[in-house]
Every structure is written in structure tokens, then in C-alpha cells.
Amino acid sequence: MAVRVLVVEDERRLAAAVRRGLSAEGFAVDIAYDGEDGLHSAREGDYDAVVLDLMLPKISGYRVCQQLRAEKNWVPILILSAKDGEYDQADGLDLGADDYLTKPFSYVVLAARLRALLRRGAVPRPVELLAGDLSLDPASRRVRRGQTEIALTAREFSLLEYLIRRAGQVVSKSQLLEHVWDTYDSVGLNVVEVYAGYLRRKIDTPFGRQALQTVRGAGYRLAADGG
């Protein structure tokens, strides 16, 4: 049975070329020429993957991706766009896309990227990260406890994001230092303790919670239930 792919691309020549290229690689391809049609097709069609342009008529590719993820539709999405800035790519991935390929591109690489996505399968990849009623949105860089928004510094946000992605797991101070602080920062492990204290005073103390837990001799753990 052929793998079914939806290509959402408003440039008709390019859409036809993508269809030919992917068909030659064994994919069955449908095309939508605007974001509105693409969103409808992705919702209703039983597709194995979606190739999505960003600059689309009616609804942007960003909105299509965001809406599908908000509806818990986990179809693998590969963004194919001429927008090649690092922030464009980061925004697309933060909104729930699985991969990002810039134009011009190789059809061989596009097909290989799609096969890689298909091997992973359509597993849940929520845009908003949750630990109980504590939520973090990487795209908008917003953190909330229930309906209360919490203002964090950039470093506090990065620390919380790393912990919430591993909620329930023990993370060592060394891991946090490596992933949250730049390698050229000449800081010691005590800075992790300092920022963990800052974070607790914002996400826990005002709410009477204990989400950020110290695991003696091991590191820290963010409670999966939000404390």
C-alpha cells in the first residue's frame, strides 16, 4: 500500500514538480493550493505525512500546523519553505512541525526526510508542555500556573523548559549546566542551585506548590503532576 502524502503548496508548478518527484519515490501525493484547503484535507484525509509551505493564501502554514496540533492531530509535518532564517525554522518547529527543509531542495533529500518521519510515526508532540497545571509554550515563551501567567527571565525559562521536557525524571546539575548555560560561560554548578531557587520562588512558592524538587546527591526533578 502506497504512503499517502498531502502537499500544501500554492505555487502550482512547484506543487506539480513535488508530486512528480515524490511519486517517482513511491509516494501517493495529493495537493492543496491554499492553507484553508490544506487544513481541511489534513483533518479529513488519512495521510501518512504532510508537506507544508508557510506562505500560503487564506491561512498561513504556521496557522495550519498550529491548528492541527491544537486538535491533537499528530500527522508528521515537514515544512518546505523559502523562508530560511533560523527564527523562521525555530518558529515552525516550536509550533509543532517535525522537520523543516528550505527551498531550493533535493527531491532525494525530501523523500529521505519523509521516510525518516514515517519511521518515527505519528506520536503525540504537543506544542504546549505540561506538568499538571504548570504549562510552558516554547513558541510564545509563556509560562502559566492554571490561568496565572508567570514572568521568567530568559535563563529561568530555559531551565524550566529543560526540566518540563523531562518531567518526572531526575536531571543532574551537570546536565543542566551543559544544556542551559552556554559552553563559554565560566560558571560553576552553584549557579544551577541559584537559578533553581529563583525558579521555585516564581513557579511554586506563590502557589503553595513543590514542583521543583531537589534530589539529594543527584540533581533536580520537576514533578510530572506539577507539584
Side-chain angles (χ1 to χ4, degrees):
M1 185 174 177
V3 173
R4 294 188 67 222
V5 175
L6 173 65
V7 174
V8 189
E9 170 61 65
D10 63 316
E11 294 182 29
R12 291 179 178 258
R13 284 187 182 177
L14 179 57
V18 172
R19 171 183 268 164
R20 288 194 300 272
L22 291 180
S23 297
E25 294 284 338
F27 294 92
V29 181
D30 291 335
I31 297 176
Y33 297 107
D34 62 64
E36 195 173 88
D37 189 28
L39 180 58
H40 174 76
S41 297
R43 282 169 169 163
E44 303 299 323
D46 185 20
Y47 291 103
D48 297 292
V50 175
V51 175
L52 180 66
D53 189 18
L54 292 178
M55 305 304 289
L56 295 166
K58 298 185 180 179
I59 302 176
S60 74
Y62 289 119
R63 288 275 308 281
V64 171
C65 183
Q66 188 175 33
Q67 187 61 39
L68 288 172
R69 296 312 188 223
E71 295 169 5
K72 295 184 171 22
N73 184 326
W74 308 119
V75 60
I77 295 175
L78 185 150
I79 290 175
L80 184 63
S81 175
K83 293 169 72 67
D84 60 358
E86 59 183 17
Y87 289 105
D88 298 314
Q89 297 182 48
D91 287 344
L93 295 170
D94 280 343
L95 287 171
D98 301 274
D99 201 356
Y100 196 113
L101 188 61
T102 57
K103 303 172 184 175
F105 60 94
S106 156
Y107 290 104
V108 172
V109 172
L110 174 59
R113 294 276 190 95
L114 284 173
R115 286 192 291 267
L117 290 184
L118 293 168
R119 285 195 295 271
R120 292 182 221 161
V123 297
R125 289 171 299 279
V127 172
E128 194 171 52
L129 305 174
L130 301 173
D133 67 345
L134 180 64
S135 65
L136 180 148
D137 186 336
S140 66
R141 300 191 71 79
R142 297 175 70 183
V143 174
R144 295 193 306 274
R145 265 281 189 198
Q147 298 304 311
T148 304
E149 190 154 346
I150 302 171
L152 298 182
T153 66
R155 191 77 73 187
E156 291 164 354
F157 185 93
S158 296
L159 179 60
L160 179 59
E161 182 177 5
Y162 191 81
L163 288 165
I164 203 169
R165 287 186 184 278
R166 294 155 185 81
Q169 302 175 25
V170 177
V171 181
S172 72
K173 292 178 187 177
S174 296
Q175 283 176 278
L176 291 169
L177 194 64
E178 179 183 352
H179 289 91
V180 177
W181 277 262
D182 297 324
T183 53
Y184 53 81
D185 285 345
S186 55
V187 296
L189 291 176
N190 65 316
V191 76
V192 180
E193 298 175 18
V194 171
Y195 273 85
Y198 293 159
L199 197 54
R200 277 199 187 98
R201 287 195 284 274
K202 293 186 176 182
I203 67 170
D204 282 343
T205 305
F207 306 94
R209 304 295 187 85
Q210 294 181 331
L212 183 49
Q213 305 163 353
T214 300
V215 181
R216 192 174 298 278
Y220 296 95
R221 175 175 53 224
L222 188 76
D225 63 1

